Amino acid sequence: MNLFFASIIELASAVGLSNSTFLSYIDARGVLPNVETAVKIAKYLGVTVEYLVESEKINLPQSQDQKEKAKLMNAYEKLSNHDKSMLVKIANAMSE
């Protein structure tokens, strides 16, 4: 998959990371993945690990909608199972 078309949610899922963990790699916190994770990310994006290191940050262009989805997923992951269930019910009711 091309770097410019990967979304945070898709990439995080594909390499087995939570969205919040992946976001910590690309935001101002400057957290670095371990080597195994860096290799998985590079492979998914079709680039080398060296490319990721040189670019210092994975800059994925995002639409406003993608940014909002990422924020929602990050918040969702912090909820208890009960609250997640309630949120899904609310979202389903709102979308009907």
Side-chain angles (χ1 to χ4, degrees):
M1 175 172 279
N2 187 304
L3 174 65
F4 297 107
F5 298 107
S7 76
I8 289 172
I9 295 168
E10 291 170 342
L11 195 154
S13 175
V15 298
L17 298 171
S18 69
N19 296 330
S20 59
T21 297
F22 185 76
L23 286 171
S24 73
Y25 300 153
I26 63 172
D27 66 13
R29 290 177 272 182
V31 176
L32 296 175
N34 63 37
V35 173
E36 182 181 335
T37 301
V39 169
K40 287 179 183 179
I41 292 169
K43 184 176 179 179
Y44 180 81
L45 295 173
V47 298
T48 64
V49 173
E50 291 79 13
Y51 173 83
L52 295 178
V53 171
E54 289 171 9
S55 65
E56 294 182 33
K57 222 179 209 190
I58 303 169
N59 294 312
L60 302 176
Q62 291 184 296
S63 68
Q64 188 60 34
D65 187 53
Q66 287 173 319
K67 289 177 186 177
E68 292 300 315
K69 285 179 184 176
K71 287 179 190 177
L72 181 60
M73 289 301 298
N74 190 29
Y76 177 84
E77 289 180 355
K78 295 176 184 176
L79 298 174
S80 68
N81 287 337
H82 177 265
D83 289 345
K84 287 176 182 178
S85 176
M86 295 303 294
L87 183 59
V88 169
K89 288 178 184 177
I90 292 168
N92 285 335
M94 291 176 70
S95 65
E96 291 177 355

